Structure formats: structure tokens, C-alpha cells
Amino acid sequence: MGKLVVLRTIAEVRAWRNTIPPDRLVGFVPTMGAIHEGHLSLVRASVERCAVTAASIFVNPTQFGPHEDFARYPRPFEQDVQLLDAAGVDMVFAPLPEEMYLPDASTSVVVERVSEGLCGQYRPGHFRGVATVVLKLFNIVQPHLAFFGQKDAQQCAVLKRMVRDLDVPVQIVVCPTVREPDGLAMSSRNAYLSEDERRRALALRRSLLAARDAWRAGERSAEALRSIGLAVLDAAGGVRVQYWEVVHPETMAPLAAVGDEGALLAVAAYVGETRLIDNELLAGE
Ligand code: AMP
């Protein structure tokens, strides 16, 4: 602990990267900060596998819609750096938006189809912003491995497709969703929830588990699983569902039935003003 460096410019990161011998594995954990156990689990996975671990803290303006929470997104920077340091991060890249985006930037990454359903449908431009910033971060940090959370399953699918299609020499490692003891998926946005909303938010997880149990008992129809999930959310009250879908685990395309390849159950809902997501993977055979 205590050897972590915080770098603000791309030039500084390139210079830092050049000091790492070519035979040492570099792991990378991109974040928007407000660090919690979910982020730290990714750091630990990197520290376990890699000689050097880099992280980034960047609340990326281009992945927020005009009416989303960019301005009020939590930014407890000093605490974040301490937590990342304690977990074993060697370098944190924390650029200003001006460092990442020139005013006349003209290039972006669009991952077709995989990014179009689920969150992509309700957050236009979100995955273009994500894919573009992650490719930029990969080009700046040049990691061998990059660690992402299953919590953001569509993000993982989009980024896997991006590195495959563009021959990006980075291996995407997807790590399990870290949850609060009562099952709520950890998220920086949980801080927005009142006590009452926090309790209602548990219904997202419960809706997924109810559908998973039905699948385990033999139900294969997507519509039937969806009805089971929606009934749980409806009963909770105060939860405004945006989507609850059964999709292919890699392409994110809607499924009519869960087949041999398994499926992803994915939900997004507003609890009060806070938009939350969660998902559950039904393993293939
Ligand atoms: P964010 O700061 O929300 O952009 O998240 C940064 C990374 O942490 C992404 O790869 C997320 O998927 C991951 N992450 C966020 N919450 C969790 C969680 N509860 N469990 C595991 N990974 C998470």
C-alpha cells in the first residue's frame, strides 16, 4: 500500500506504461469512481492475475443522456483513491473530460445490434459513449487484461464484441456481480435511494430469482418467465419497470424460449427517481 500514483494526462500514462517490462502482465479496471465492493472485486481479480494493476476514474460525459445524472453523479475522489490503493492498484488514471475529448473529435465506436436492445433502447448513445471511451482507455493504458462486472451484462457483451471485431489486443474478463447481504446489486447509484426505496429495490433481484426458479423447475417460455418476474415487481409497489427481458447471453437478442445456449434475464426499473439494473444468467447446457 502507498505506492499508487495518480496520473491526469495521457502523456503521463504513456510514460508510466513505458516503464513496465514487456513480460509483466498489466490488468486494468475502468470505473466512474464512487468506489464500492463491486469495483474492488475487479481490482482483486486483476491483482491476482496481473503483475501490475491500473484503474481509471472518469465520469464519462458522452455516456450520459441530457436528462441523466452526470452532474450529480457522486465523486468522492480522495476516498476512491484510498480504497483503490488499499486493494492493490498501482496507477489511477483520472483525466478531465478536456483531456479525453478534443472539441473537434470526429470518431466513435458503434457496436451494432448487441448495443441496441435493453439499456441501449432507453439510453440512446450510451453504448457508443461507453465503447468509444473504453477503446480510448485501452489505447492509453494498453492493458493485457481488462476487468468488468457482470452487473453491467450488456456493457460486457458490447465490449467483447468490440475487441473481437476490431482486433483489440485486450482480453475482457467478466467478474461476478457483488451484492449487499440482502441481495441488492452494489451500485454507485444506490446512494440515491431513500430507506423505503432501498427496500423496494430488492424486488429487482427477487423478480430474477423467481424466474430463475421457474426455469430450474422446467419453464422455458420467455413470456412465462417474464410474467413471473413482472408479477414480483408489481407486488413490490413503487417500482416502475423499464424492461424485463429474456435475451441471448452473447448477442443480447430477445429469445422466445430458453434453449441450449442458456439466457440472460435482464431488468431495468426506476425506484423513485433512481434507475437500477440487474440480471441473472441462466447457464447453457
Ligand atoms: P461503474 O463505475 O459503475 O462504471 O462500474 C465500473 C465497473 O465496475 C464496471 O465494469 C461495472 O460492471 C463494475 N461493477 C459495478 N457494480 C458492480 C457490482 N455490484 N459487482 C461487480 N462489478 C460491478
Side-chain angles (χ1 to χ4, degrees):
M1 201 162 120
K3 60 186 165 54
L4 174 145
V5 289
V6 177
L7 304 179
R8 297 285 187 178
T9 68
I10 294 164
E12 285 170 333
V13 178
R14 291 204 191 286
W16 170 86
R17 185 68 181 81
N18 280 334
T19 66
I20 300 170
D23 62 337
R24 309 200 83 199
L25 272 187
V26 176
F28 179 42
V29 180
T31 83
M32 299 203 300
I35 298 299
H36 52 65
E37 274 302 313
H39 301 117
L40 295 175
S41 73
L42 307 181
V43 169
R44 292 188 195 107
S46 175
V47 167
E48 209 165 278
R49 291 181 60 174
C50 301
V52 176
T53 292
S56 58
I57 297 176
F58 182 56
V59 186
N60 175 34
T62 69
Q63 70 189 67
F64 287 79
H67 305 295
E68 293 183 355
D69 55 344
F70 174 72
R72 69 177 186 125
Y73 198 84
R75 291 167 168 85
F77 185 74
E78 293 306 323
Q79 184 186 310
D80 285 352
V81 170
Q82 277 178 22
L83 290 169
L84 294 173
D85 190 13
V89 169
D90 300 290
M91 187 280 285
V92 173
F93 179 42
L96 292 172
E98 305 88 278
E99 178 71 9
M100 290 295 279
Y101 299 109
L102 293 169
D104 63 347
S106 315
T107 312
S108 62
V109 180
V110 175
V111 180
E112 290 172 346
R113 294 182 295 284
V114 183
S115 69
E116 287 165 13
L118 306 179
C119 291
Q121 196 180 333
Y122 297 95
R123 304 186 71 189
H126 171 67
F127 287 115
R128 176 198 290 256
V130 168
T132 304
V133 81
V134 169
L135 184 59
K136 283 169 66 68
L137 290 167
F138 284 178
N139 286 334
I140 295 163
V141 176
Q142 296 178 38
H144 299 97
L145 279 71
F147 297 81
F148 294 88
Q150 174 66 22
K151 155 94 189 334
D152 298 280
Q154 190 175 18
Q155 172 168 279
C156 292
V158 165
L159 296 175
K160 278 185 172 176
R161 185 59 61 96
M162 175 185 81
V163 301
R164 188 199 77 174
D165 290 350
L166 298 182
D167 306 296
V168 180
V170 176
Q171 186 189 334
I172 304 282
V173 182
V174 179
C175 300
T177 301
V178 177
R179 298 178 180 281
E180 301 286 357
D182 61 9
L184 183 68
M186 288 195 181
S187 164
S188 306
R189 291 188 169 100
N190 291 351
Y192 300 150
L193 298 171
S194 71
E195 214 174 294
D196 178 59
E197 290 167 346
R198 170 77 181 65
R199 208 161 350 95
R200 291 176 196 277
L202 293 172
L204 271 75
R205 172 77 173 146
R206 278 206 312 277
S207 77
L208 296 167
L209 293 184
R212 184 196 65 185
D213 288 348
W215 169 73
R216 283 185 177 165
E219 183 59 74
R220 293 293 178 266
S221 153
E223 205 37 61
L225 295 172
R226 183 164 184 274
S227 298
I228 290 165
L230 289 176
V232 172
L233 289 174
D234 196 41
V239 179
R240 198 152 41 87
V241 180
Q242 193 170 60
Y243 65 74
W244 200 109
E245 287 194 47
V246 182
V247 299
H248 186 282
E250 280 158 29
T251 67
M252 303 287 118
L255 296 177
V258 183
D260 293 351
E261 290 180 300
L264 183 79
L265 309 178
V267 59
Y270 281 93
V271 183
E273 295 300 300
T274 306
R275 184 179 179 278
L276 299 175
I277 58 171
D278 202 349
N279 66 81
E280 180 70 22
L281 206 50
L282 307 183
E285 281 156 23

